[in-house]
Structure formats: structure tokens, C-alpha cells
Amino acid sequence: MKAAVVTAYGLVPRYLDFPDPQPSNEHEIVVEVLAAGLHPRVRMQAGGSHYTSVGAGLPLVPGIDGVGRAADGQLWYFMSLNSRYGSMAERAVIDTRHSVVLPVHTDPLTMAATLNCVIASWLALTQRVTMRPGQNVLVLGATGGTGSMAVQVARQLGAGQVVAVGRDISRLAALSGATAIARISDSETIARIGSETDIVLDFLWGDPATEVMAALVAGRADPTRPMAWMNLGEMAGARATLPASALRSRRLRIVGSGQGSLTGATMTAEIPAVAALISNGTYNVEPCPVPLHDIERAWSLPADSSRRIVISQL
Ligand SMILES: NC(=O)c1ccc[n+]([C@@H]2O[C@H](COP(=O)([O-])OP(=O)(O)OC[C@H]3O[C@@H](n4cnc5c(N)ncnc54)[C@H](OP(=O)(O)O)[C@@H]3O)[C@@H](O)[C@H]2O)c1
């Protein structure tokens, strides 16, 4: 079959022949892949920099999820937890225990663009910290695909205030669901509007995490009010400097949410609910379709967090 193939970490994937993946047990089936999102996590996989890359082996087909059609015509959303055979190929073997059948009217491109973006905060707020209705959430990196969905997910799950923080004020102002917005660099505003934050959803880490944590610690109305800092991504850096005093002087807890801290079964169990909300239009990340044979062009398109590149075979 044809596939996007990574032959060396750091090189752009190329459209090459690759052996067809074979089912290895009764839970696995072959699907024709229709759409696969080019998420930041996929770039990390292809670059060998994601924490799941250790021992993955090359060559590999990138892609962590997608929408495919089985031989019986059913449409599936699937996660590719096999780090060697990803979803950016003509065909994929899917584990039906980590996949869900989609309604026939589903738009594969929108589903492939949106589900990964929504499930991130959905799992974080339902499985990793269990947000109670009325709690206040701050989203760091709120203008991205996952961040903008996190603002909406927090509201839908019953958050009180949802503070959206990012580096582009005009894009922050256009977000739906935010009760307040602030630039990362505006520590004074963050300290004020975030003084009663209960949960931070952090998609950036790096220097923004250091800066925003310092502002929230400084502005805390009640130092004993618990605050959970939930890391989900590292768009601004894999390392952050955190002052020890922040941990002693405030009731601050640092946790994370992602593959490994959640089991495949936990993640799969939440997919039907999220897929249904995408199907009915509640959540929508705009897809930017690029054909599989144009994978090198897809990889080199300029970064644009307002829409998601989707490798399309429709
Ligand atoms: N743990 C999970 O379950 C999970 C699931 C999905 C995604 N993620 C992770 O979440 C992160 C964000 O993914 P995404 O899909 O939202 O990506 P995206 O759509 O490309 O958006 C990237 C976001 O990061 C911001 N950003 C990039 N570099 C920055 C910097 N140096 N300083 C400040 N802001 C910066 C962008 O700001 P602009 O809008 O101003 O460009 C935008 O808000 C990634 O690390 C991804 O791997 C985690």
C-alpha cells in the first residue's frame, strides 16, 4: 500500500510503498483510511520527540487516530496506539476495542480534525481531576485546536469562570465560551481574573507555565484554596522552571493527562459521547484537507492553529 513514511527522525515523511498491516487477533480489522489529523502530537511522533517514541523503530507510518471504512461499510473512528503503523496510510489495522462505530452521516474530515482536540480536555476534566460544577478553569494556550475546544468543554461540563490565556489577544477575543481573556505576558490581569482558579489546563508548558503560575500564585485570593495545574502539552517548551515556594505557600498540585496516565480503555470509553457531540455540531475544528500523496506539502504548510490539517483520502 501507499503511506506517509518516516525513514529517519527529523526528515519530512514521504509518500512511499509500505507493507500492509496485518490483523494479529480477533479484535483487529482492516479499514480503508478516509481522514487522519496532522496533530502536533503526530509531528512529535514523526520527529521521535514524543515520550512514546522510545524504542518505536523505523521506518514508521505517522498518525495517532483517524476515520476509516471497514469492508462491511461501517465507518470507524480509531486510535492508532501502535507506534509503527499509524493512520497516514491507505489502510490501517484498527483494534475494535479502541475504536467506535460512527453514525453514517458523519463527516470524516471534521471528525478527524476535532475529536483529538476535544477529548484532551474532556478526559482531563472527567478522568484526571473530576471538575465539579461551578469550579473555575483557566486554559493556557486557549487559541489552539485543543485549547479552544477546552474552553468550550469546560463550559459544557459546568465550569463557573473559564479564563482563556494565550499570546494573541484578537484570537482570544474571538473564542466562544470564555468568561475572561488575558495575554500570557499580562501577569497583573491574570493575577486578578484568575485569583479563584481551581483547575489550570496547560497546553504550553515552557516559559508561559512559569510566568502564568507565578501570576496565579501571587494573585491567589485564598492561599489554602486548592488549585490543580494540569499539563497536557508542551507547545512552548519541554521544560519549565517552577519556584519551590509556589508549592509550599499555596495549595498547588501538579498533574498531567495523556497517553500513559490514562489507559486505552479509559480513553476509548469516552469517545462515543465526544463523537456524538461532534456529529451534532457542538464541537467543530475546521479541517484543512490535503491528499495523502501530498504529504510532504502538508508537512511544510505554515503553522495555523485556527484549523487542522487533515490527510484526506476522500
Ligand atoms: N494530553 C493530551 O491528551 C493531548 C491531546 C491533544 C493535544 N495535546 C497537546 O496539546 C498541545 C496543543 O495542541 P493543539 O492541537 O492545540 O495545537 P495547535 O492547534 O497547533 O495550537 C497550538 C497552540 O499553542 C500556542 N503556541 C505555540 N507556540 C507557542 C509559544 N512559543 N508560546 C505561546 N503559545 C504558543 C498557539 O498559539 P497561537 O494560536 O498564538 O499560534 C496555540 O494556542 C500540543 O502539545 C499537543 O501535543 C495533548
Side-chain angles (χ1 to χ4, degrees):
M1 67 173 179
K2 289 291 187 188
V5 182
V6 176
T7 51
Y9 289 134
L11 293 186
V12 170
R14 284 183 300 149
Y15 184 66
L16 297 174
D17 290 313
F18 201 75
D20 268 88
Q22 302 297 331
S24 61
N25 60 53
E26 75 274 19
H27 301 292
E28 295 186 343
I29 59 168
V30 177
V31 295
E32 300 287 329
V33 181
L34 303 179
L38 179 38
H39 314 297
R41 158 83 170 77
V42 178
R43 289 187 188 273
M44 293 179 82
Q45 174 194 26
S49 62
H50 193 260
Y51 59 82
T52 56
S53 297
V54 178
L58 290 171
L60 66 80
V61 174
I64 56 162
D65 71 346
V67 175
R69 195 178 298 285
D72 63 4
Q74 279 192 317
L75 207 55
W76 289 83
Y77 171 83
F78 62 95
M79 290 189 289
S80 297
L81 300 177
N82 179 332
S83 46
R84 185 96 195 278
Y85 281 96
S87 53
M88 295 188 171
E90 289 179 314
R91 283 175 287 287
V93 164
I94 69 168
D95 186 329
T96 52
R97 294 166 299 181
H98 297 142
S99 311
V100 298
V101 175
L102 298 168
V104 282
H105 65 268
T106 302
D107 171 17
L109 295 172
T110 301
M111 190 61 69
T114 311
L115 198 138
N116 177 260
C117 295
V118 177
I119 201 98
S121 50
W122 183 281
L123 289 169
L125 292 175
T126 61
Q127 305 299 316
R128 294 290 287 137
V129 287
T130 315
M131 185 189 78
R132 293 190 305 279
Q135 284 194 306
N136 301 320
V137 174
L138 182 146
V139 179
L140 178 55
T143 55
T146 50
S148 60
M149 291 298 109
V151 170
Q152 295 182 32
V153 166
R155 285 313 291 273
Q156 204 201 4
L157 294 177
Q161 297 166 15
V162 181
V163 174
V165 179
R167 60 182 175 181
D168 182 333
I169 202 74
S170 58
R171 297 213 29 227
L172 288 167
L175 288 174
S176 103
T179 56
I181 61 170
R183 268 204 194 91
I184 292 166
S185 55
D186 189 350
S187 301
E188 209 174 294
T189 301
I190 292 172
R192 180 168 47 77
I193 64 178
S195 65
E196 297 193 329
T197 299
D198 299 302
I199 300 166
V200 176
L201 298 175
D202 165 23
F203 296 97
L204 302 181
W205 205 240
D207 291 342
T210 306
E211 279 178 59
V212 172
M213 192 183 291
L216 290 179
V217 163
R220 212 87 189 114
D222 171 4
T224 63
R225 182 180 181 128
M227 179 166 71
W229 186 287
M230 170 87 62
N231 174 259
L232 290 106
E234 50 185 72
M235 293 303 292
R239 302 265 184 278
T241 304
L242 307 178
S245 59
L247 297 171
R248 299 200 303 280
S249 63
R250 303 289 186 268
R251 197 169 291 175
L252 175 62
R253 189 162 61 100
I254 300 177
V255 286
S257 182
Q259 192 179 338
S261 60
L262 293 160
T263 65
T266 303
M267 294 193 276
T268 312
E270 299 298 321
I271 291 174
V274 172
L277 290 165
I278 295 168
S279 288
N280 76 14
T282 302
Y283 299 115
N284 178 33
V285 172
E286 189 192 334
C288 168
V290 179
L292 178 65
H293 63 78
D294 258 350
I295 189 70
E296 293 183 48
R297 183 172 68 83
W299 225 260
S300 59
L301 286 171
D304 177 359
S305 58
S306 67
R307 53 192 197 146
R308 182 59 38 111
I309 297 168
V310 175
I311 303 306
S312 166
Q313 296 178 82
L314 285 168

PDB file of all heavy atoms in Angstrom, residues 11-38:
ATOM      1  N   LEU A  11      13.307  13.934   9.350  1.00  0.00           N
ATOM      2  CA  LEU A  11      13.028  14.117   7.918  1.00  0.00           C
ATOM      3  C   LEU A  11      11.520  14.173   7.707  1.00  0.00           C
ATOM      4  O   LEU A  11      10.758  13.520   8.419  1.00  0.00           O
ATOM      5  CB  LEU A  11      13.593  12.951   7.101  1.00  0.00           C
ATOM      6  CG  LEU A  11      15.108  12.800   7.040  1.00  0.00           C
ATOM      7  CD1 LEU A  11      15.463  11.681   6.055  1.00  0.00           C
ATOM      8  CD2 LEU A  11      15.769  14.106   6.601  1.00  0.00           C
ATOM      9  N   VAL A  12      11.108  14.949   6.703  1.00  0.00           N
ATOM     10  CA  VAL A  12       9.686  15.028   6.363  1.00  0.00           C
ATOM     11  C   VAL A  12       9.235  13.658   5.846  1.00  0.00           C
ATOM     12  O   VAL A  12       9.944  13.026   5.052  1.00  0.00           O
ATOM     13  CB  VAL A  12       9.489  16.112   5.277  1.00  0.00           C
ATOM     14  CG1 VAL A  12       8.080  16.078   4.720  1.00  0.00           C
ATOM     15  CG2 VAL A  12       9.808  17.489   5.853  1.00  0.00           C
ATOM     16  N   PRO A  13       8.055  13.158   6.274  1.00  0.00           N
ATOM     17  CA  PRO A  13       7.561  11.880   5.756  1.00  0.00           C
ATOM     18  C   PRO A  13       7.368  11.954   4.240  1.00  0.00           C
ATOM     19  O   PRO A  13       7.009  13.007   3.715  1.00  0.00           O
ATOM     20  CB  PRO A  13       6.208  11.693   6.463  1.00  0.00           C
ATOM     21  CG  PRO A  13       6.213  12.642   7.599  1.00  0.00           C
ATOM     22  CD  PRO A  13       7.133  13.757   7.254  1.00  0.00           C
ATOM     23  N   ARG A  14       7.581  10.815   3.569  1.00  0.00           N
ATOM     24  CA  ARG A  14       7.400  10.773   2.116  1.00  0.00           C
ATOM     25  C   ARG A  14       6.337   9.765   1.733  1.00  0.00           C
ATOM     26  O   ARG A  14       6.081   8.820   2.480  1.00  0.00           O
ATOM     27  CB  ARG A  14       8.739  10.443   1.443  1.00  0.00           C
ATOM     28  CG  ARG A  14       9.675  11.660   1.432  1.00  0.00           C
ATOM     29  CD  ARG A  14      10.957  11.352   0.701  1.00  0.00           C
ATOM     30  NE  ARG A  14      11.681  10.257   1.309  1.00  0.00           N
ATOM     31  CZ  ARG A  14      12.454   9.401   0.635  1.00  0.00           C
ATOM     32  NH1 ARG A  14      12.598   9.519  -0.663  1.00  0.00           N
ATOM     33  NH2 ARG A  14      13.083   8.429   1.266  1.00  0.00           N
ATOM     34  N   TYR A  15       5.754   9.982   0.546  1.00  0.00           N
ATOM     35  CA  TYR A  15       4.693   9.091   0.022  1.00  0.00           C
ATOM     36  C   TYR A  15       5.378   7.899  -0.626  1.00  0.00           C
ATOM     37  O   TYR A  15       5.913   8.000  -1.732  1.00  0.00           O
ATOM     38  CB  TYR A  15       3.870   9.894  -0.987  1.00  0.00           C
ATOM     39  CG  TYR A  15       2.683   9.187  -1.575  1.00  0.00           C
ATOM     40  CD1 TYR A  15       1.600   8.833  -0.791  1.00  0.00           C
ATOM     41  CD2 TYR A  15       2.639   8.902  -2.947  1.00  0.00           C
ATOM     42  CE1 TYR A  15       0.487   8.204  -1.351  1.00  0.00           C
ATOM     43  CE2 TYR A  15       1.533   8.287  -3.520  1.00  0.00           C
ATOM     44  CZ  TYR A  15       0.462   7.933  -2.702  1.00  0.00           C
ATOM     45  OH  TYR A  15      -0.631   7.324  -3.258  1.00  0.00           O
ATOM     46  N   LEU A  16       5.388   6.760   0.080  1.00  0.00           N
ATOM     47  CA  LEU A  16       6.167   5.602  -0.368  1.00  0.00           C
ATOM     48  C   LEU A  16       5.334   4.327  -0.222  1.00  0.00           C
ATOM     49  O   LEU A  16       4.286   4.323   0.428  1.00  0.00           O
ATOM     50  CB  LEU A  16       7.427   5.456   0.502  1.00  0.00           C
ATOM     51  CG  LEU A  16       8.468   6.582   0.470  1.00  0.00           C
ATOM     52  CD1 LEU A  16       9.557   6.325   1.505  1.00  0.00           C
ATOM     53  CD2 LEU A  16       9.074   6.725  -0.927  1.00  0.00           C
ATOM     54  N   ASP A  17       5.857   3.233  -0.784  1.00  0.00           N
ATOM     55  CA  ASP A  17       5.247   1.909  -0.537  1.00  0.00           C
ATOM     56  C   ASP A  17       5.606   1.475   0.877  1.00  0.00           C
ATOM     57  O   ASP A  17       6.708   1.751   1.371  1.00  0.00           O
ATOM     58  CB  ASP A  17       5.792   0.887  -1.541  1.00  0.00           C
ATOM     59  CG  ASP A  17       5.258   1.168  -2.948  1.00  0.00           C
ATOM     60  OD1 ASP A  17       4.036   1.386  -3.066  1.00  0.00           O
ATOM     61  OD2 ASP A  17       6.078   1.208  -3.883  1.00  0.00           O
ATOM     62  N   PHE A  18       4.652   0.791   1.508  1.00  0.00           N
ATOM     63  CA  PHE A  18       4.871   0.281   2.866  1.00  0.00           C
ATOM     64  C   PHE A  18       4.077  -1.011   2.991  1.00  0.00           C
ATOM     65  O   PHE A  18       2.976  -1.121   2.421  1.00  0.00           O
ATOM     66  CB  PHE A  18       4.375   1.322   3.897  1.00  0.00           C
ATOM     67  CG  PHE A  18       4.981   1.170   5.269  1.00  0.00           C
ATOM     68  CD1 PHE A  18       6.288   1.571   5.516  1.00  0.00           C
ATOM     69  CD2 PHE A  18       4.254   0.623   6.324  1.00  0.00           C
ATOM     70  CE1 PHE A  18       6.857   1.448   6.774  1.00  0.00           C
ATOM     71  CE2 PHE A  18       4.809   0.489   7.586  1.00  0.00           C
ATOM     72  CZ  PHE A  18       6.119   0.901   7.817  1.00  0.00           C
ATOM     73  N   PRO A  19       4.601  -2.018   3.697  1.00  0.00           N
ATOM     74  CA  PRO A  19       3.843  -3.280   3.806  1.00  0.00           C
ATOM     75  C   PRO A  19       2.478  -3.064   4.434  1.00  0.00           C
ATOM     76  O   PRO A  19       2.347  -2.266   5.368  1.00  0.00           O
ATOM     77  CB  PRO A  19       4.719  -4.138   4.731  1.00  0.00           C
ATOM     78  CG  PRO A  19       6.041  -3.467   4.784  1.00  0.00           C
ATOM     79  CD  PRO A  19       5.861  -2.020   4.427  1.00  0.00           C
ATOM     80  N   ASP A  20       1.482  -3.770   3.922  1.00  0.00           N
ATOM     81  CA  ASP A  20       0.145  -3.682   4.515  1.00  0.00           C
ATOM     82  C   ASP A  20       0.191  -4.205   5.956  1.00  0.00           C
ATOM     83  O   ASP A  20       0.764  -5.262   6.200  1.00  0.00           O
ATOM     84  CB  ASP A  20      -0.843  -4.544   3.712  1.00  0.00           C
ATOM     85  CG  ASP A  20      -1.524  -3.727   2.633  1.00  0.00           C
ATOM     86  OD1 ASP A  20      -0.961  -3.640   1.522  1.00  0.00           O
ATOM     87  OD2 ASP A  20      -2.589  -3.161   2.924  1.00  0.00           O
ATOM     88  N   PRO A  21      -0.449  -3.502   6.892  1.00  0.00           N
ATOM     89  CA  PRO A  21      -0.505  -4.036   8.259  1.00  0.00           C
ATOM     90  C   PRO A  21      -1.458  -5.230   8.307  1.00  0.00           C
ATOM     91  O   PRO A  21      -2.438  -5.268   7.567  1.00  0.00           O
ATOM     92  CB  PRO A  21      -1.051  -2.854   9.077  1.00  0.00           C
ATOM     93  CG  PRO A  21      -1.811  -2.031   8.106  1.00  0.00           C
ATOM     94  CD  PRO A  21      -1.179  -2.232   6.762  1.00  0.00           C
ATOM     95  N   GLN A  22      -1.161  -6.180   9.148  1.00  0.00           N
ATOM     96  CA  GLN A  22      -1.964  -7.406   9.226  1.00  0.00           C
ATOM     97  C   GLN A  22      -2.623  -7.513  10.595  1.00  0.00           C
ATOM     98  O   GLN A  22      -1.955  -7.305  11.609  1.00  0.00           O
ATOM     99  CB  GLN A  22      -1.067  -8.649   9.027  1.00  0.00           C
ATOM    100  CG  GLN A  22      -0.306  -8.677   7.714  1.00  0.00           C
ATOM    101  CD  GLN A  22      -1.217  -8.731   6.495  1.00  0.00           C
ATOM    102  OE1 GLN A  22      -2.334  -9.255   6.559  1.00  0.00           O
ATOM    103  NE2 GLN A  22      -0.763  -8.159   5.375  1.00  0.00           N
ATOM    104  N   PRO A  23      -3.921  -7.863  10.636  1.00  0.00           N
ATOM    105  CA  PRO A  23      -4.558  -8.110  11.933  1.00  0.00           C
ATOM    106  C   PRO A  23      -3.844  -9.251  12.653  1.00  0.00           C
ATOM    107  O   PRO A  23      -3.404 -10.206  12.018  1.00  0.00           O
ATOM    108  CB  PRO A  23      -5.991  -8.507  11.565  1.00  0.00           C
ATOM    109  CG  PRO A  23      -6.196  -8.037  10.169  1.00  0.00           C
ATOM    110  CD  PRO A  23      -4.852  -8.049   9.508  1.00  0.00           C
ATOM    111  N   SER A  24      -3.713  -9.113  13.984  1.00  0.00           N
ATOM    112  CA  SER A  24      -2.991 -10.159  14.713  1.00  0.00           C
ATOM    113  C   SER A  24      -3.870 -10.875  15.745  1.00  0.00           C
ATOM    114  O   SER A  24      -3.409 -11.780  16.416  1.00  0.00           O
ATOM    115  CB  SER A  24      -1.761  -9.560  15.413  1.00  0.00           C
ATOM    116  OG  SER A  24      -2.168  -8.574  16.335  1.00  0.00           O
ATOM    117  N   ASN A  25      -5.121 -10.429  15.901  1.00  0.00           N
ATOM    118  CA  ASN A  25      -6.020 -11.155  16.806  1.00  0.00           C
ATOM    119  C   ASN A  25      -7.471 -10.873  16.390  1.00  0.00           C
ATOM    120  O   ASN A  25      -7.716 -10.090  15.463  1.00  0.00           O
ATOM    121  CB  ASN A  25      -5.772 -10.756  18.277  1.00  0.00           C
ATOM    122  CG  ASN A  25      -6.007  -9.276  18.530  1.00  0.00           C
ATOM    123  OD1 ASN A  25      -7.079  -8.744  18.202  1.00  0.00           O
ATOM    124  ND2 ASN A  25      -5.012  -8.593  19.082  1.00  0.00           N
ATOM    125  N   GLU A  26      -8.416 -11.486  17.095  1.00  0.00           N
ATOM    126  CA  GLU A  26      -9.822 -11.416  16.661  1.00  0.00           C
ATOM    127  C   GLU A  26     -10.435 -10.035  16.870  1.00  0.00           C
ATOM    128  O   GLU A  26     -11.531  -9.760  16.363  1.00  0.00           O
ATOM    129  CB  GLU A  26     -10.660 -12.500  17.375  1.00  0.00           C
ATOM    130  CG  GLU A  26     -10.999 -12.239  18.841  1.00  0.00           C
ATOM    131  CD  GLU A  26      -9.916 -12.698  19.819  1.00  0.00           C
ATOM    132  OE1 GLU A  26      -8.756 -12.880  19.380  1.00  0.00           O
ATOM    133  OE2 GLU A  26     -10.212 -12.842  21.012  1.00  0.00           O
ATOM    134  N   HIS A  27      -9.745  -9.132  17.608  1.00  0.00           N
ATOM    135  CA  HIS A  27     -10.277  -7.784  17.843  1.00  0.00           C
ATOM    136  C   HIS A  27      -9.877  -6.812  16.722  1.00  0.00           C
ATOM    137  O   HIS A  27     -10.365  -5.683  16.678  1.00  0.00           O
ATOM    138  CB  HIS A  27      -9.771  -7.225  19.174  1.00  0.00           C
ATOM    139  CG  HIS A  27     -10.147  -8.087  20.347  1.00  0.00           C
ATOM    140  ND1 HIS A  27     -11.438  -8.226  20.775  1.00  0.00           N
ATOM    141  CD2 HIS A  27      -9.391  -8.855  21.165  1.00  0.00           C
ATOM    142  CE1 HIS A  27     -11.476  -9.048  21.803  1.00  0.00           C
ATOM    143  NE2 HIS A  27     -10.245  -9.453  22.065  1.00  0.00           N
ATOM    144  N   GLU A  28      -8.966  -7.237  15.852  1.00  0.00           N
ATOM    145  CA  GLU A  28      -8.419  -6.307  14.863  1.00  0.00           C
ATOM    146  C   GLU A  28      -9.052  -6.513  13.487  1.00  0.00           C
ATOM    147  O   GLU A  28      -9.281  -7.643  13.051  1.00  0.00           O
ATOM    148  CB  GLU A  28      -6.900  -6.475  14.775  1.00  0.00           C
ATOM    149  CG  GLU A  28      -6.210  -6.067  16.076  1.00  0.00           C
ATOM    150  CD  GLU A  28      -4.694  -6.067  15.991  1.00  0.00           C
ATOM    151  OE1 GLU A  28      -4.136  -6.678  15.057  1.00  0.00           O
ATOM    152  OE2 GLU A  28      -4.060  -5.457  16.868  1.00  0.00           O
ATOM    153  N   ILE A  29      -9.303  -5.385  12.800  1.00  0.00           N
ATOM    154  CA  ILE A  29      -9.832  -5.441  11.431  1.00  0.00           C
ATOM    155  C   ILE A  29      -9.088  -4.406  10.575  1.00  0.00           C
ATOM    156  O   ILE A  29      -8.478  -3.469  11.114  1.00  0.00           O
ATOM    157  CB  ILE A  29     -11.356  -5.135  11.376  1.00  0.00           C
ATOM    158  CG1 ILE A  29     -11.655  -3.733  11.940  1.00  0.00           C
ATOM    159  CG2 ILE A  29     -12.167  -6.199  12.105  1.00  0.00           C
ATOM    160  CD1 ILE A  29     -13.087  -3.266  11.656  1.00  0.00           C
ATOM    161  N   VAL A  30      -9.175  -4.583   9.266  1.00  0.00           N
ATOM    162  CA  VAL A  30      -8.549  -3.627   8.342  1.00  0.00           C
ATOM    163  C   VAL A  30      -9.594  -2.596   7.918  1.00  0.00           C
ATOM    164  O   VAL A  30     -10.744  -2.947   7.652  1.00  0.00           O
ATOM    165  CB  VAL A  30      -8.015  -4.351   7.086  1.00  0.00           C
ATOM    166  CG1 VAL A  30      -7.440  -3.345   6.086  1.00  0.00           C
ATOM    167  CG2 VAL A  30      -6.957  -5.377   7.474  1.00  0.00           C
ATOM    168  N   VAL A  31      -9.188  -1.320   7.883  1.00  0.00           N
ATOM    169  CA  VAL A  31     -10.066  -0.278   7.330  1.00  0.00           C
ATOM    170  C   VAL A  31      -9.333   0.483   6.230  1.00  0.00           C
ATOM    171  O   VAL A  31      -8.098   0.553   6.239  1.00  0.00           O
ATOM    172  CB  VAL A  31     -10.539   0.739   8.416  1.00  0.00           C
ATOM    173  CG1 VAL A  31     -11.411   0.081   9.455  1.00  0.00           C
ATOM    174  CG2 VAL A  31      -9.362   1.481   9.056  1.00  0.00           C
ATOM    175  N   GLU A  32     -10.110   1.028   5.304  1.00  0.00           N
ATOM    176  CA  GLU A  32      -9.572   1.987   4.327  1.00  0.00           C
ATOM    177  C   GLU A  32      -9.599   3.337   5.030  1.00  0.00           C
ATOM    178  O   GLU A  32     -10.674   3.798   5.448  1.00  0.00           O
ATOM    179  CB  GLU A  32     -10.467   2.053   3.081  1.00  0.00           C
ATOM    180  CG  GLU A  32     -10.634   0.740   2.337  1.00  0.00           C
ATOM    181  CD  GLU A  32      -9.382   0.332   1.555  1.00  0.00           C
ATOM    182  OE1 GLU A  32      -8.662   1.247   1.094  1.00  0.00           O
ATOM    183  OE2 GLU A  32      -9.145  -0.875   1.420  1.00  0.00           O
ATOM    184  N   VAL A  33      -8.448   3.960   5.172  1.00  0.00           N
ATOM    185  CA  VAL A  33      -8.416   5.220   5.916  1.00  0.00           C
ATOM    186  C   VAL A  33      -8.991   6.341   5.052  1.00  0.00           C
ATOM    187  O   VAL A  33      -8.609   6.500   3.886  1.00  0.00           O
ATOM    188  CB  VAL A  33      -6.980   5.574   6.351  1.00  0.00           C
ATOM    189  CG1 VAL A  33      -6.974   6.880   7.148  1.00  0.00           C
ATOM    190  CG2 VAL A  33      -6.370   4.446   7.180  1.00  0.00           C
ATOM    191  N   LEU A  34      -9.897   7.126   5.619  1.00  0.00           N
ATOM    192  CA  LEU A  34     -10.503   8.253   4.899  1.00  0.00           C
ATOM    193  C   LEU A  34      -9.890   9.583   5.325  1.00  0.00           C
ATOM    194  O   LEU A  34      -9.744  10.496   4.509  1.00  0.00           O
ATOM    195  CB  LEU A  34     -12.017   8.286   5.165  1.00  0.00           C
ATOM    196  CG  LEU A  34     -12.794   7.016   4.813  1.00  0.00           C
ATOM    197  CD1 LEU A  34     -14.266   7.190   5.160  1.00  0.00           C
ATOM    198  CD2 LEU A  34     -12.642   6.693   3.320  1.00  0.00           C
ATOM    199  N   ALA A  35      -9.556   9.712   6.609  1.00  0.00           N
ATOM    200  CA  ALA A  35      -9.077  11.014   7.114  1.00  0.00           C
ATOM    201  C   ALA A  35      -8.257  10.794   8.372  1.00  0.00           C
ATOM    202  O   ALA A  35      -8.617   9.972   9.218  1.00  0.00           O
ATOM    203  CB  ALA A  35     -10.287  11.905   7.438  1.00  0.00           C
ATOM    204  N   ALA A  36      -7.144  11.535   8.475  1.00  0.00           N
ATOM    205  CA  ALA A  36      -6.272  11.425   9.654  1.00  0.00           C
ATOM    206  C   ALA A  36      -5.713  12.809   9.971  1.00  0.00           C
ATOM    207  O   ALA A  36      -5.143  13.465   9.091  1.00  0.00           O
ATOM    208  CB  ALA A  36      -5.134  10.441   9.393  1.00  0.00           C
ATOM    209  N   GLY A  37      -5.879  13.260  11.184  1.00  0.00           N
ATOM    210  CA  GLY A  37      -5.459  14.612  11.576  1.00  0.00           C
ATOM    211  C   GLY A  37      -3.947  14.722  11.755  1.00  0.00           C
ATOM    212  O   GLY A  37      -3.311  13.823  12.311  1.00  0.00           O
ATOM    213  N   LEU A  38      -3.416  15.848  11.268  1.00  0.00           N
ATOM    214  CA  LEU A  38      -1.982  16.123  11.483  1.00  0.00           C
ATOM    215  C   LEU A  38      -1.860  16.970  12.763  1.00  0.00           C
ATOM    216  O   LEU A  38      -1.703  18.188  12.729  1.00  0.00           O
ATOM    217  CB  LEU A  38      -1.382  16.831  10.259  1.00  0.00           C
ATOM    218  CG  LEU A  38       0.101  17.227  10.304  1.00  0.00           C
ATOM    219  CD1 LEU A  38       0.971  16.197  10.987  1.00  0.00           C
ATOM    220  CD2 LEU A  38       0.607  17.500   8.915  1.00  0.00           C
TER     221      LEU A  38
END
